[in-house]
Amino acid sequence: MRRFFRTDRGATDPILVIATIAVSLILLLGGTVAAASLKNSANITAATNDLNTVALAEASWNTAYGTFISYSDLGDTTLEHGTVTLHPLFHTVVNAGACGWVAAAVVPGGPILIRTSATSAVAPAPAPTLTIPSCFPSNAITDVVSSAQIQPLGAGRWRTVAGAYNVQGDVNGTGAAAQFSEPESVAVGPDGSIYIADQGNYQVRKMTQAGAVTTYAGVGTSVTGSTDSSTALQASFYVPYDIQADGAGNVYVTELNNRHIRKIAPNGGATSTITGAQKDGYVDGVGTAMAAGPIYGSTIGPDGNFYFADSTHPAVREVTPDGFTATVIGNPVGAIPVGSASGTTFAAQDPTDVTFDENGDMWIVDSTGNTIWESTGGPPTIVAGNGTNADLDGSGTSAEFATPTNIVSDPAADAVIVSDSSGYGSLRMINIKTKAVTTLNDTDASDQFGDAWNTVGGMAIDAAGNLWAADPVYGRIIEEGLPR
């Protein structure tokens, strides 16, 4: 039987777990008990509490009903037997069978912990020494880990997944042990992996949803410039700024300083420069004949083409797979109109990002103008915001934005989500039908470490409905649950 429950989160867990167990787990994983690791230690202790609480709840359920129950901490609203009290920011999943259960708890900034009904021990995944109940297949632990890694976080709840608060660096690792240098944007791959434009390190980093970070592309700051290679790790990037991933596993990166758009083949394969010249300007054309201003925000359209906002000129431009760049919104001075929508009036002051909703309509952020524009195939119009720099919810142009910067489509909610730069990480949701604007989060609130959110960089949404974002100022990758 497979059901999911949202557990009660009110009381203090009655089970005491000695903190030295947590420290030992950190040491097993190759960590040290420094400031960041002490935070991990507390999280490991709390997650171990969760799994021990699960054991009591399952035993109670089995006594009452003669069976075991599968559930997640983020699902239905009731637990049918007793009360389970779990930590509010962890993912905990239990897979039950006729003879027992296997459970996983994802530790923010740390490992995934496993416990089964066949043993009283708790161990970090893949936990090869743990005994699996006899009625389970050999991949039972892998299965529960997969379930725990990708599931909804819960509306309005956010956590730091990787990076240490206000620490900039270039270190691979898990959770708070990893370091970034002003990570600017994220993308979600088809397998749920998170790709990060690590602009200060001149690299693309890859992260699991459990927070394990590795270098995916780029030799780093030892080389200044853009050089393609047959292997992504041997390529060089110059301030990678925005990042996108398509359904085939290709990753696309915009370079802020070189005005290039780069493509990385799946699995860290060959890199190629699709378009762009190492100069400012406004020229539509093929490959290096194209010129643009700084490319801040981009998206992959429903047609599979690459779109980016050219804030300098201002325009929205489209790049086809063969590297041809054309203007689709706007007609800057001196430009040759290209495409059915170019040459239209576009009075935006500073378009910084673009996305498409589930209907194929284009949405554009005008950062300096504090407005959001929509194009349904013709000239774009302002549909939210009125130019006033403020943080005010409302409908359409009665709403106000404070230097909006990034935008992402949320088809499951019939919405787009906008980040407000001056709102210290505020996320604003716009209903694409009613144009009602609501604020999703209070970024003055703390994450699981007691740290605040500063600035929202580029965003992406995974298949489970979790929003992922970069925090370039504090050097972290953030996950937030969305309303569903």
Side-chain angles (χ1 to χ4, degrees), residues 80-439:
E80 295 178 75
H81 185 77
T83 299
V84 175
T85 303
L86 301 177
H87 191 288
L89 287 172
F90 297 174
H91 292 331
T92 303
V93 170
V94 182
N95 289 347
C99 67
W101 50 268
V102 178
V106 179
V107 179
I112 299 177
L113 300 185
I114 307 295
R115 180 170 175 178
T116 79
S117 58
T119 179
S120 60
V122 174
T129 62
L130 288 187
T131 302
I132 300 172
S134 59
C135 61
F136 278 77
S138 59
N139 65 343
I141 290 179
T142 302
D143 182 55
V144 76
V145 166
S146 297
S147 297
Q149 282 182 315
I150 305 177
Q151 59 169 304
L153 181 60
R157 290 165 53 186
W158 68 277
R159 66 187 183 108
T160 297
V161 181
Y165 177 76
N166 207 23
V167 175
Q168 306 283 347
D170 183 7
V171 178
N172 289 325
T174 298
Q179 293 179 13
F180 307 92
S181 180
E182 300 180 358
E184 185 57 42
S185 185
V186 300
V188 177
D191 63 349
S193 296
I194 311 300
Y195 296 92
I196 302 152
D198 191 355
Q199 61 168 330
N201 286 321
Y202 297 0
Q203 291 175 329
V204 174
R205 314 285 287 279
K206 182 178 180 180
M207 185 183 76
T208 69
Q209 296 211 354
V213 178
T214 56
T215 300
Y216 187 71
V219 296
T221 55
S222 61
V223 176
T224 299
S226 301
T227 304
D228 288 321
S229 173
S230 59
T231 303
L233 285 171
Q234 300 303 314
S236 61
F237 295 82
Y238 195 22
V239 191
Y241 199 84
D242 199 41
I243 192 164
Q244 303 293 332
D246 65 20
N250 297 299
V251 174
Y252 301 84
V253 182
T254 69
E255 290 182 303
L256 188 64
N257 284 14
N258 276 350
R259 315 299 194 252
H260 287 160
I261 298 171
R262 311 281 293 281
K263 179 181 178 181
I264 306 171
N267 302 313
T271 66
S272 56
T273 300
I274 300 175
T275 189
Q278 195 169 329
K279 61 181 180 180
D280 284 321
Y282 187 88
V283 179
D284 282 336
V286 179
T288 57
M290 185 275 279
I295 302 173
Y296 295 112
S298 63
T299 192
I300 296 175
D303 56 1
N305 291 338
F306 187 91
Y307 292 79
F308 68 91
D310 188 335
S311 62
T312 303
H313 292 104
V316 175
R317 303 170 72 182
E318 173 188 22
V319 183
T320 61
D322 59 2
F324 182 79
T325 301
T327 300
V328 293
I329 295 290
N331 186 8
V333 175
I336 301 173
V338 179
S340 61
S342 66
T344 59
T345 301
F346 185 41
Q349 301 176 47
D350 180 25
T352 55
D353 203 3
V354 58
T355 194
F356 290 86
D357 64 26
E358 65 264 33
N359 299 320
D361 296 331
M362 181 186 293
W363 292 70
I364 308 163
V365 175
D366 181 359
S367 187
T368 302
N370 296 303
T371 52
I372 310 300
W373 298 62
E374 180 187 18
S375 170
T376 59
T381 58
I382 295 173
V383 293
N386 53 38
T388 302
N389 189 312
D391 188 357
L392 179 66
D393 289 341
S395 181
T397 54
S398 67
E400 295 172 352
F401 295 86
T403 319
T405 305
N406 300 290
I407 190 168
V408 66
S409 177
D410 184 10
D414 287 330
V416 294
I417 297 172
V418 177
S419 65
D420 256 2
S421 296
S422 298
Y424 297 99
S426 291
L427 296 175
R428 317 285 297 280
M429 176 176 278
I430 307 173
N431 184 288
I432 65 172
K433 297 176 181 177
T434 66
K435 307 304 188 283
V437 180
T438 55
T439 299

